[in-house]
Amino acid sequence: MSKKDIQDPYDKTVVDPLKIKQKIQKGASKRKYNIILTVLSGKEADFGKVFTFNQDKISIGRNKKNDLMLDDPRVSKMHCQINVIYSDVLEQIIIEDLDSTNGTYVNGSTVKQSILRPGDKIEIGETVLRFSYNDEIEEKYHSKLFTFASTDSLTGLYNKRYILTELDNQIKMVKRSQRLFSVVLLDIDDFKKINDSYGHLAGDEILKQVAYTIRHNLREQDIASRFGGEEFLILLPDTLLEGAYKLSNRIRQKIEEMELKFQKYSIKTTISAGISQFNPGTPKIESLIRSADIALYRAKKEGKNKVVGV
């Protein structure tokens, strides 16, 4: 993108907002780049997450109808919007506050309407976004950085840090909406024997197959993670204990039927699982996971290859 394609970054003259719609329609076909919003602060699980837009009007707010929906109680339903405005001689990217309750800030200053420059930090509620525009290669680079930071390299599932942050976010949502959720703590039975009998490479393949089975039996909103070693933790939003039990038992059955062909061996395994439902009286994340762990211990003690709920 050449310098003539976009406004002088230090020119604070904003195009007449009454002409925004006309200018957007006129310039929509000229776009050769994407607008990038990178999360710098807010929900810890979103750190480094990159949102990419190629349209010329981007709405931001708490309502799901927005182009970028932020789960932040300090963000208004329709908080602000970013517009790309064209004229014959320049192009401007501006942010406009939509009469939000807590205001829109750019680089620490409250704004009603302001031109955005690459690197500007947009503060909306407790969320901070960095504004930039770039090409597909750079976009993929930032996406990979987020993936490396949030996922387990062996199984491709989310890591422990990510799932704990999502659990914290779910608890905050329950306090506002009273929508309950459940967690499943799942463990591969006799995993040490597999490593001792067939080697660690075989153990790695079992971990990957179990992770694959978990992932392909979940809903879009469910979150699965490798919690440590041969343990997996699954977060099931809007799911009570009964629903979590049915899902866990289906996964258990699928893994029981699974057979891994490794070198000259045919390896079978099973899993045990403990389920815990979050209730408003549950004091914190540690208590929720401890309850699931107690249920998992019972499943192991009662013969393994079993699902137990508390």
Side-chain angles (χ1 to χ4, degrees), residues 198-246:
Y198 306 104
H200 288 278
L201 291 179
D204 286 350
E205 291 303 314
I206 287 289
L207 285 167
K208 287 191 279 188
Q209 280 209 8
V210 169
Y212 177 88
T213 303
I214 292 171
R215 184 166 49 241
H216 285 78
N217 280 277
L218 299 182
R219 304 165 300 176
E220 184 178 353
Q221 66 266 40
D222 300 334
I223 301 174
S225 71
R226 184 183 178 191
F227 203 60
E230 66 272 23
E231 273 192 338
F232 300 84
L233 185 65
I234 307 171
L235 167 61
L236 304 174
D238 299 318
T239 305
L240 301 182
L241 203 63
E242 183 180 356
Y245 180 84
K246 290 179 180 178

Side-chain angles (χ1 to χ4, degrees), residues 108-123:
S109 299
T110 182
V111 299
K112 178 59 181 175
Q113 188 182 75
S114 177
I115 292 175
L116 289 175
R117 304 190 303 266
D120 278 351
K121 294 177 179 61
I122 305 168
E123 299 172 48

Side-chain angles (χ1 to χ4, degrees), residues 209-303:
Q209 280 209 8
V210 169
Y212 177 88
T213 303
I214 292 171
R215 184 166 49 241
H216 285 78
N217 280 277
L218 299 182
R219 304 165 300 176
E220 184 178 353
Q221 66 266 40
D222 300 334
I223 301 174
S225 71
R226 184 183 178 191
F227 203 60
E230 66 272 23
E231 273 192 338
F232 300 84
L233 185 65
I234 307 171
L235 167 61
L236 304 174
D238 299 318
T239 305
L240 301 182
L241 203 63
E242 183 180 356
Y245 180 84
K246 290 179 180 178
L247 172 68
S248 303
N249 207 40
R250 181 167 69 245
I251 292 173
R252 182 199 62 76
Q253 290 173 343
K254 294 282 186 182
I255 291 172
E256 185 181 17
E257 297 165 0
M258 184 180 76
E259 188 172 1
L260 172 65
K261 300 293 183 180
F262 181 78
Q263 297 177 355
K264 62 180 180 179
Y265 304 108
S266 180
I267 307 171
K268 293 181 69 66
T269 191
T270 59
I271 60 103
S272 298
I275 309 167
S276 178
Q277 176 184 305
F278 178 84
N279 294 300
T282 304
K284 48 189 175 180
I285 294 173
E286 290 80 5
S287 300
L288 180 68
I289 296 175
R290 190 179 301 113
S291 295
D293 192 42
I294 291 170
L296 173 60
Y297 177 78
R298 279 181 50 197
K300 295 279 191 180
K301 192 174 181 180
E302 292 175 11

Side-chain angles (χ1 to χ4, degrees), residues 19-234:
K19 299 179 181 178
I20 286 177
K21 185 174 181 180
Q22 177 184 353
K23 297 292 185 181
I24 288 175
Q25 292 174 344
K26 177 181 178 181
S29 62
K30 299 180 182 179
R31 292 287 299 284
K32 296 180 181 179
Y33 62 92
N34 293 323
I35 289 176
I36 309 297
L37 296 174
T38 305
V39 179
L40 299 183
S41 179
K43 291 170 59 178
E44 187 179 351
D46 286 340
F47 285 174
K49 186 174 287 186
V50 178
F51 297 93
T52 305
F53 303 96
N54 58 15
Q55 67 263 37
D56 292 322
K57 183 176 180 180
I58 303 160
S59 61
I60 303 174
R62 203 172 71 248
N63 193 302
K64 292 182 179 181
K65 294 181 180 180
N66 288 284
D67 299 302
L68 174 52
M69 194 274 285
L70 296 176
D71 179 25
D72 183 336
R74 290 179 54 80
V75 171
S76 298
K77 292 182 179 179
M78 298 291 290
H79 197 103
C80 62
Q81 66 185 28
I82 295 174
N83 301 298
V84 182
I85 305 173
Y86 302 87
S87 71
D88 294 334
V89 294
L90 59 80
E91 173 183 325
Q92 293 182 327
I93 302 175
I94 70 170
I95 187 165
E96 180 182 5
D97 184 77
L98 300 176
D99 296 321
S100 64
T101 302
N102 294 308
T104 299
Y105 294 78
V106 176
N107 299 327
S109 299
T110 182
V111 299
K112 178 59 181 175
Q113 188 182 75
S114 177
I115 292 175
L116 289 175
R117 304 190 303 266
D120 278 351
K121 294 177 179 61
I122 305 168
E123 299 172 48
I124 305 168
E126 296 180 357
T127 303
V128 179
L129 305 166
R130 182 181 63 204
F131 164 77
S132 62
Y133 42 79
N134 56 21
D135 57 23
E136 185 178 353
I137 294 175
E138 194 168 349
E139 175 191 337
K140 288 181 178 178
Y141 166 75
H142 285 289
S143 178
K144 285 181 179 179
L145 283 182
F146 175 74
T147 299
F148 291 151
S150 62
T151 59
D152 172 64
S153 59
L154 178 65
T155 63
L157 299 180
Y158 287 112
N159 57 27
K160 184 175 182 177
R161 172 182 173 274
Y162 184 95
I163 194 75
L164 288 176
T165 304
E166 281 301 308
L167 279 169
D168 185 55
N169 291 331
Q170 280 294 318
I171 289 174
K172 290 176 182 176
M173 290 176 63
V174 166
K175 290 178 179 177
R176 296 198 304 270
S177 65
Q178 300 301 309
R179 296 163 66 183
L180 303 183
F181 66 92
S182 296
V183 297
V184 180
L185 189 61
L186 180 155
D187 184 87
I188 300 174
D189 295 326
D190 301 315
F191 186 70
K192 186 177 184 300
K193 288 184 180 179
I194 294 174
N195 280 332
D196 292 344
S197 300
Y198 306 104
H200 288 278
L201 291 179
D204 286 350
E205 291 303 314
I206 287 289
L207 285 167
K208 287 191 279 188
Q209 280 209 8
V210 169
Y212 177 88
T213 303
I214 292 171
R215 184 166 49 241
H216 285 78
N217 280 277
L218 299 182
R219 304 165 300 176
E220 184 178 353
Q221 66 266 40
D222 300 334
I223 301 174
S225 71
R226 184 183 178 191
F227 203 60
E230 66 272 23
E231 273 192 338
F232 300 84
L233 185 65
I234 307 171

